[in-house]
Amino acid sequence: MGRNVLYRDLAEYYDRLYQFKDYRSEAREILRLARRFLGRPPRSLLDVGCGTGRHLLEFARTLSVAGVDRSAEMLRVARRRLGPRVPLARGDMRHFSLRARFDVVTCLFSAIAYMETRRDRDTAIANFYRHLNPGGGALVEGWVRPSRWRGTGGDLITYEDRDLRVARVTSSWREGNHSVVEYHVLIGEPGKRIHHFAQLDRNPLVEVEEMLGSFRRAGFRAKALLHGRYRDRGMYVGVRPSDS
Ligand SMILES: C[S@@+](CC[C@H](N)C(=O)[O-])C[C@H]1O[C@@H](n2cnc3c(N)ncnc32)[C@H](O)[C@@H]1O
């Protein structure tokens, strides 16, 4: 099972499975953090691994925004949500190159977990740095910290309306310094055979100091927030020095 096949198959159902996730309050908190390091409200923001664009929708209320994601299918949903005016680009977080710089670069809901090696992570975070205005900052929500990892057996999320039933069962465990998450998704729609797809994701469990190392090697001043909603995954805040 290949990488990100998950997002290709899941894209049309992703928002329904994550309807419980409070993108609005997350976006507000991100803006509060950004205001703190910028010393003023941010004017522009790039969301990397933007998925279906739910954070972007919130940010777009007050900022000029853009998004990047590797999955064409996720971007298609984002385009529907955001309309034609928000620039959305298909690209890998390590290598994309936009002709613009931003006050804030975000990478949320653990999209960074898809960086499999330290080198990949360093490359992605250096790329975030390149897309920032001096004085701007990157806000990266990590994957689960090693000390916070708890495997699960058969977690279930469901969605149903008149025309659609979706059930996702995940089991997860640890293999050394990696988490392994097995996803199975069942989709039922009137008049159609049941559709099933599955994926096994293997992602590195990265210590806070290792994450901060990637930021510092890129030139950022960096710290980790490890409380409240960021307790398990950590929110990494990297500021590009104003004189850089
Ligand atoms: C868990 S989803 C998070 C999506 C969105 N940020 C959210 O909060 O709903 C991870 C996203 O990262 C994207 N992604 C995975 N690997 C990527 C890469 N190398 N470069 C850019 N995007 C990537 C996936 O396509 C997917 O949309």
Side-chain angles (χ1 to χ4, degrees):
M1 281 179 279
R3 250 174 209 282
N4 285 328
V5 173
L6 180 68
Y7 295 106
R8 184 193 68 200
D9 291 332
L10 192 61
E12 286 299 326
Y13 311 104
Y14 182 91
D15 294 333
R16 293 170 175 114
L17 283 178
Y18 289 110
Q19 55 182 340
F20 58 85
K21 195 167 154 61
D22 191 346
Y23 284 84
R24 178 164 295 179
S25 92
E26 290 182 18
R28 272 201 211 117
E29 192 152 348
I30 299 278
L31 291 182
R32 261 199 305 276
L33 292 169
R35 213 171 294 138
R36 228 182 276 161
F37 61 69
L38 280 163
R40 58 167 171 80
R43 288 189 275 269
S44 58
L45 179 148
L46 171 67
D47 190 19
V48 180
C50 65
T52 60
R54 284 179 71 189
H55 286 117
L56 281 175
L57 183 71
E58 302 300 331
F59 293 133
R61 295 177 200 280
T62 48
L63 307 181
S64 157
V65 300
V68 171
D69 200 282
R70 190 160 79 168
S71 157
E73 293 78 13
M74 294 290 269
L75 285 174
R76 192 176 315 131
V77 178
R79 171 65 66 216
R80 255 196 334 253
R81 163 166 289 122
L82 299 166
R85 278 201 286 273
V86 170
L88 295 174
R90 185 168 179 208
D92 186 294
M93 63 178 84
R94 290 163 293 184
H95 310 304
F96 72 90
S97 176
L98 306 180
R99 259 188 242 115
R101 280 182 176 184
F102 302 82
D103 284 345
V104 183
V105 172
T106 50
C107 183
L108 302 173
F109 206 13
S110 308
I112 196 75
Y114 291 101
M115 297 298 99
E116 291 178 26
T117 63
R118 173 177 134 168
R119 188 161 164 208
D120 290 333
R121 196 172 61 242
D122 281 6
T123 308
I125 289 174
N127 199 23
F128 301 168
Y129 186 96
R130 271 194 295 281
H131 284 85
L132 280 167
N133 293 319
L139 291 153
V140 177
E141 187 177 7
W143 179 225
V144 182
R145 297 191 275 144
S147 62
R148 304 294 304 175
W149 176 261
R150 308 273 175 271
T152 63
D155 275 2
L156 173 68
I157 306 183
T158 59
Y159 170 85
E160 65 178 288
D161 64 26
R162 221 186 39 175
D163 299 320
L164 178 67
R165 304 284 144 95
V166 187
R168 190 197 74 173
V169 180
T170 51
S171 282
S172 59
W173 60 94
R174 184 170 176 157
E175 288 178 4
N177 292 328
H178 286 77
S179 60
V180 184
V181 185
E182 182 180 14
Y183 299 89
H184 284 255
V185 181
L186 287 171
I187 296 156
E189 289 172 278
K192 291 192 187 167
R193 300 278 302 268
I194 291 175
H195 177 48
H196 166 257
F197 59 86
Q199 173 154 316
L200 210 57
D201 263 4
R202 196 167 179 280
N203 303 102
L205 296 168
V206 181
E207 297 287 357
V208 171
E209 277 308 314
E210 289 180 63
M211 278 294 283
L212 289 172
S214 296
F215 280 84
R216 291 180 183 136
R217 283 189 288 279
F220 282 108
R221 281 188 282 115
K223 65 176 181 184
L225 306 179
L226 303 169
H227 52 262
R229 72 171 94 210
Y230 306 132
R231 201 177 42 194
D232 289 343
R233 299 173 185 229
M235 175 63 80
Y236 295 86
V237 184
V239 177
R240 177 172 174 157
S242 351
D243 56 359
S244 62

